[in-house]
Amino acid sequence: LPSADLVVYNIGVLVTFSQGPLPGGAARDPGRAGIIRGAGIAVRNGRIIAVGSSESVRSGFTAERLVDAGGRLVTPGLVESHTHLVFAGSREDELEKKLLGYTYREILEAGGGIYRTVRETRARSAGELAALALPRLEALARHGVTVVEVKTGYGLLPEEEMKLLEAIHLLGEMAGPRLPLTIVPTLLAHVVPEEYAGRRDEYVRLFAEQLVPEAAGSPWRPVYVDVFCDKGAFTPEETMRILEAGLRHGLRARIHADELAYIGCSRLPGRLPIDSADHLEYLPPENASILARAGTVATLLPTSMLAVFADRKPPVEALRRAGAVLGVAGDYNPNNMNPSLQSAIDLAVYLLGLTPLEALAAATVNAAHSLRLEGHGRIVPGAHADLVIWDVDNYNKVGYEWGYNRALHVYAKGVRVGGECGG
Ligand code: NIG
Ligand code: FE
C-alpha cells in the first residue's frame, strides 16, 4: 500500500471547494461547493494526495497518523487575507474616545490612531516586533487560520518599512516547522508620515521610486504592494503611482478602498490589475461591476466595521448580483484586536447577510484567490494539506453556533497548528 503521513477518515461532511473561487451567488450554492459525505483525506509531505470515501482512503494507505473525524465537518484551512500583525503598543484608550464621539478619522488626523502606533513601532527592533507578532500568529492558527497575509505600514519612512519587512520574515522563521503557516508579506503605503506633512507628493515619489525598488530587491521582498486609498490617507492618483511602481517591480497589487468615504478608489481596478479591494463600506453599488469585470476580489472586513463604528455597510447584494468574488477577512490591527477569523465569518452572516457556506467560501477558497494562492483554500489532490476539523457536523452550524472557537483541529501543511483541545 502507498504510505501517507496523515489520514483523516470518518468525515461527516467534507467541503472541498474543489471548483475553485466561487463568484457571486455561486458561493451560496451547495451544489458548487464540492461537498462529499462520509469522506477521507490522505496527506503526504504537506500535500493532499487523495480525497475520497472514508473507506477507500482508510484502506488505500498505510498511515503514520490516523485521525477519526468522528462524523464532523471538515473544510479547507481558513485564509486570512488582510492583517496588520506587526506593530508595537496598544490603543485601548482610543476605544473610549470613539465611544465619547470622536471618529476614527478625527483621531487619526489629530496624530493618534495609525500615527500613534507608528511612534511605538519605530521604537522597536525587527526581532522585537517579530516576537510581539508571534503570539498573534499562534492565536490566528488556534482559530483555524493556515494562510495569513501580513502588512507593513507602521514604519512609513523607507528604512522603517524595510525593518517591518524584515520583521515579517523573522516572524516566519520564529514560527518555523512548528507553525508552518503560509505567510504572504505585503508592503503597505498606510498614511503620509508626519515628517512629510505638507510634502505629500515628495513622499509618494519616495515610496514609489525608492522604497518599492529597494523592497523588491531585498531578501525580504514582499509579494504585494497595498495602499490605504481613502479620505485622510492616499488619493486614487497617488495610489495609482505607488501600485504602478509595485507592478513594474514584479509585485502584485491590492488596495484598501472606500472604507471611510468614497473618493473614487473602487474605480482603480478598472485601470490596473488589482487582486483584492478591501473594506468597501462606501462602495457605490454601481461600482460593483467594475470589481467583477476586473476579477478583483471584494474583501469584506466586518469585525473592522465594528471597530471603526462604521455608519455604512458594503453593498453586498450589488456585489453578489454583479458576480464579484466575495472574500471575508479579519483585519487584525491595533484598532481591531480580534484574532479569530471565525468572528469575521460570524459577523459576515449576521451583519452582512452571507450564508454560512458563502462566508466559509469567502474565508477559504475566495480569500486564497484574492492572494492568487490557488494551491490553498481547497481540498483537492496536489493542494497544500491545510484543513480544519470543526466541532460541528455541518456547515450551517458555523455561523449558527457563533462567538467561540469551533475549530477542533487545525492542520497547516499537514502539521497540527491549532484547535480547541491540546495534542
Ligand atoms: O485595515 N484602514 C486602514 N488600515 C487598518 C487600520 C489600521 C490602524 O488603525 O492601525 C485597517 O482597518
Ligand atoms: Fe488594513
Side-chain angles (χ1 to χ4, degrees):
L1 283 184
S3 69
D5 302 332
L6 168 69
V7 164
V8 182
Y9 70 101
N10 195 18
I11 298 169
V13 176
L14 175 65
V15 180
T16 66
F17 292 124
S18 55
Q19 292 186 17
L22 296 167
R28 316 185 110 184
D29 178 0
R32 299 285 301 272
I35 293 169
I36 306 173
R37 287 168 207 278
I41 301 169
V43 171
R44 193 195 301 134
N45 293 332
R47 298 269 181 173
I48 293 164
I49 53 171
V51 180
S53 75
S54 180
E55 247 335 287
S56 69
V57 174
R58 216 195 141 166
S59 61
F61 295 89
T62 60
E64 204 170 291
R65 277 175 303 155
L66 198 57
V67 173
D68 179 357
R72 294 185 177 86
L73 169 72
V74 172
T75 70
L78 302 181
V79 175
E80 173 53 87
S81 65
H82 185 138
T83 79
H84 305 254
L85 272 198
V86 177
F87 62 86
S90 174
R91 307 211 307 247
E92 73 282 356
D93 53 325
E94 292 182 1
L95 173 59
E96 196 176 30
K97 277 215 181 78
K98 285 183 284 179
L99 288 161
L100 294 174
Y102 296 92
T103 67
Y104 176 85
R105 187 147 50 82
E106 284 165 350
I107 293 168
L108 176 66
E109 284 168 355
I114 294 169
Y115 290 113
R116 153 99 172 274
T117 302
V118 166
R119 289 191 289 276
E120 293 182 285
T121 302
R122 285 182 182 170
R124 302 297 193 106
S125 70
E128 288 172 329
L129 290 165
L132 286 171
L134 185 61
R136 299 172 189 148
L137 187 74
E138 288 166 346
L140 261 69
R142 202 156 55 236
H143 292 86
V145 166
T146 55
V147 175
V148 57
E149 186 258 17
V150 182
K151 301 176 199 295
T152 66
Y154 295 112
L156 309 183
L157 298 175
E159 64 273 25
E160 293 292 333
E161 286 294 306
M162 290 303 300
K163 182 182 80 182
L164 295 183
L165 284 174
E166 184 185 356
I168 296 171
H169 176 83
L170 292 175
L171 172 63
E173 286 194 340
M174 284 179 189
R178 177 182 65 91
L179 208 64
L181 273 67
T182 299
I183 296 176
V184 180
T186 294
L187 176 66
L188 169 65
H190 218 169
V191 288
V192 175
E194 284 165 324
E195 291 83 352
Y196 282 79
R199 299 187 288 147
R200 36 187 318 125
D201 202 61
E202 224 178 291
Y203 179 68
V204 171
R205 193 162 352 108
L206 182 73
F207 201 106
E209 292 173 18
Q210 186 183 314
L211 176 53
V212 166
E214 188 184 344
S218 79
W220 338 121
R221 179 182 163 91
V223 173
Y224 275 95
V225 61
D226 184 351
V227 181
F228 183 13
C229 185
D230 219 309
K231 193 163 178 193
F234 293 98
T235 67
E237 284 314 309
E238 293 165 343
T239 301
M240 283 262 283
R241 285 164 62 194
I242 292 169
L243 295 183
E244 277 171 342
L247 292 164
R248 259 200 313 280
H249 286 87
L251 309 182
R252 305 194 63 90
R254 54 202 308 109
I255 53 173
H256 290 64
D258 303 1
E259 179 191 9
L260 307 173
Y262 178 64
I263 58 166
C265 299
S266 56
R267 282 205 301 263
L268 292 174
R271 306 173 64 185
L272 290 173
I274 294 173
D275 292 346
S276 188
D278 300 12
H279 288 289
L280 305 175
E281 285 82 351
Y282 279 81
L283 177 82
E286 62 272 20
N287 283 10
S289 62
I290 298 176
L291 304 191
R293 247 184 288 121
T296 303
V297 175
T299 298
L300 313 172
L301 310 174
T303 55
S304 170
M305 286 171 56
L306 296 191
V308 300
F309 296 93
D311 54 7
R312 295 253 208 141
K313 292 181 188 182
V316 172
E317 182 52 25
L319 286 161
R320 198 184 281 124
R321 244 185 296 114
V325 174
L326 294 180
V328 165
D331 193 15
Y332 189 96
N333 74 65
N335 190 59
N336 180 33
M337 302 281 282
N338 185 320
S340 173
L341 183 44
Q342 293 176 48
S343 297
I345 290 173
D346 297 339
L347 293 180
V349 170
Y350 286 104
L351 209 56
L352 301 180
L354 275 66
T355 68
L357 186 63
E358 188 179 25
L360 275 170
T364 57
V365 68
N366 290 1
H369 181 61
S370 89
L371 296 164
R372 298 303 188 259
L373 291 176
E374 314 301 343
H376 293 270
R378 54 181 117 177
I379 298 174
V380 292
H384 292 277
D386 294 352
L387 311 169
V388 177
I389 303 178
W390 297 87
D391 197 16
V392 296
D393 58 9
N394 78 66
Y395 56 78
N396 275 327
K397 281 190 182 162
V398 176
Y400 175 66
E401 298 189 19
W402 69 285
Y404 67 99
N405 187 11
R406 288 142 293 167
L408 195 58
H409 299 283
V410 184
Y411 296 93
K413 298 180 184 139
V415 174
R416 189 177 186 283
V417 295
E420 263 303 285
C421 66

